[in-house]
Amino acid sequence: MIATIAVLGLAGARPTLAADYPNRPVHWLIGFAAGGPVDVVARIMAQWLSERLGQQFVVENRAGSGGSIAAATAINSTPDGYTLLFVAPNNAIATSLYKHLNYDFIRDTVPVASIMQLTNMLVVSNAMPVKNVQEFIDYCKANPGKVSYASSGLGTSVHMSGELFKAMTGCNMLHVPYRGSAIAFPDIISNKVQLIFDNMPSGLEQSRAGTVRALGVTSPQRWPGLPDVPAIAETVPGFESVGFYGISAPKGTPPEVVEILNKAVAEALKDPKLVERLAMLGGIPKPMTPAEFGKLIEVETEKWRKVVEFAGVSVD
């Protein structure tokens, strides 16, 4: 009888606990350095959520291991909704790329909300004597071992886009990983490293500023809003690397908290000003229920497993 009362008491307390969520700052971990595309989008969304929910959403950069440090930190935190993780393709890729992860992303997290869909961009140093994808492929083949490509870290979609491109074209390029694409761009601009397949937010910003040259997008067709930038697939049939941004939380996070966050993100993605800011970064808002987002992560994990196997890469 006492046990029954205790269980009923806990069951009754849970909605009350979620009713005033959040009542203190929420920490949102991202796996890359400040200034990169993930960081920019996270801060835009964090500002909106802070204003709407009345508590500060604090973006914390935990760069390293292609975002796996941030993922492990979030997974091992208290599952109370006050530690969240920014989710991107790197989390789906890590499952098959890294051979010794100390967590299972799908098993150890709960999906919260999808934010947006985006593509990557192939951008090159202005010093490179190429104007399109075919010229770039020809240059690589004429200069084997002399072309390096940057990434925002091992196991990111930026890294795997480069590996997929190498596998499909026969280009011989050296991979140079950084702790975030923002850190890589000074070396690309100065031609120490020749290119990057970066997430569109920062790749688009740099190409618009004229500091690098955009050659193509990694989506199967030309990206909405960028009709003048060809899809790489127009030159390399079948090439595709489309990504997503979203939020997950540690396994065990109360479903009531997940629902509050999911509804808040869905509201944000209806805000014309926020949608405009995402559009300027090349993002397409993609609100989903937690279940739909969870299914997307499963599909992406399987998709990237095939890419990892095709490219023949792994990280011990």
Side-chain angles (χ1 to χ4, degrees):
M1 182 66 177
I2 294 174
T4 302
I5 293 172
V7 170
L8 289 174
L10 287 173
R14 215 171 158 186
T16 304
L17 181 67
D20 64 348
Y21 175 87
N23 58 24
R24 64 180 190 272
V26 177
H27 295 267
W28 193 4
L29 308 185
I30 69 172
F32 305 98
V38 169
D39 182 74
V40 170
V41 173
R43 292 181 189 280
I44 290 172
M45 184 61 67
Q47 180 183 359
W48 196 97
L49 292 172
S50 298
E51 293 172 355
R52 180 56 56 96
L53 296 179
Q55 288 289 341
Q56 192 70 27
F57 278 67
V58 182
V59 173
E60 294 186 8
N61 302 85
R62 302 288 182 93
S65 299
S68 294
I69 291 176
T73 302
I75 286 169
N76 290 317
S77 66
T78 303
D80 56 6
Y82 289 92
T83 302
L84 306 174
L85 177 69
F86 194 107
V87 183
N90 62 286
N91 300 112
I93 294 167
T95 299
S96 52
L97 182 70
Y98 285 84
K99 302 306 179 186
H100 301 291
L101 284 181
N102 58 1
Y103 62 84
D104 181 309
F105 190 79
I106 292 176
R107 180 196 67 201
D108 297 333
T109 64
V110 293
V112 174
S114 166
I115 296 173
M116 63 186 245
Q117 185 182 44
L118 71 162
T119 185
N120 289 358
M121 292 183 73
L122 166 56
V123 298
V124 301
S125 165
N126 286 328
M128 286 284 286
V130 297
K131 303 295 184 183
N132 56 54
V133 173
Q134 187 59 57
E135 288 183 5
F136 174 69
I137 293 172
D138 294 342
Y139 180 88
C140 281
K141 292 184 175 181
N143 296 274
K146 295 182 180 180
V147 177
S148 299
Y149 79 95
S151 81
S152 49
L154 292 167
T156 60
S157 68
V158 182
H159 170 207
M160 293 310 303
S161 294
E163 292 298 324
L164 182 61
F165 188 85
K166 286 171 59 178
M168 294 183 72
T169 63
C171 285
N172 180 3
M173 301 186 296
L174 175 67
H175 175 219
V176 183
Y178 291 77
R179 292 171 68 87
S181 59
I183 301 172
F185 267 104
D187 285 353
I188 299 166
I189 292 168
S190 65
N191 201 37
K192 290 180 181 177
V193 179
Q194 284 67 54
L195 66 135
I196 189 171
F197 290 83
D198 200 20
N199 290 173
M200 182 172 278
S202 53
L204 183 58
E205 180 183 6
Q206 293 287 348
S207 62
R208 281 173 172 166
T211 57
V212 294
R213 182 181 304 122
L215 299 188
V217 294
T218 62
S219 49
Q221 294 86 31
R222 299 193 181 202
W223 197 249
L226 289 175
D228 295 333
V229 180
I232 294 172
E234 294 174 29
T235 305
V236 185
F239 185 89
E240 177 185 350
S241 177
V242 178
F244 65 95
Y245 285 169
I247 305 171
S248 285
K251 182 181 179 181
T253 299
E256 299 88 357
V257 169
V258 171
E259 183 179 4
I260 290 169
L261 289 167
N262 183 272
K263 287 183 176 180
V265 171
E267 288 181 23
L269 298 179
K270 294 177 183 177
D271 183 326
K273 291 183 179 179
L274 186 139
V275 170
E276 182 180 6
R277 293 183 72 182
L278 295 183
M280 290 178 64
L281 298 172
I284 299 175
K286 287 289 181 180
M288 296 180 178
T289 65
E292 290 170 339
F293 186 47
K295 182 62 177 178
L296 173 66
I297 292 173
E298 292 178 5
V299 169
E300 287 288 314
T301 298
E302 176 61 16
K303 180 189 82 174
W304 285 107
R305 181 190 65 78
K306 293 177 181 177
V307 173
V308 168
E309 290 181 356
F310 178 75
V313 295
S314 66
V315 178
D316 292 328

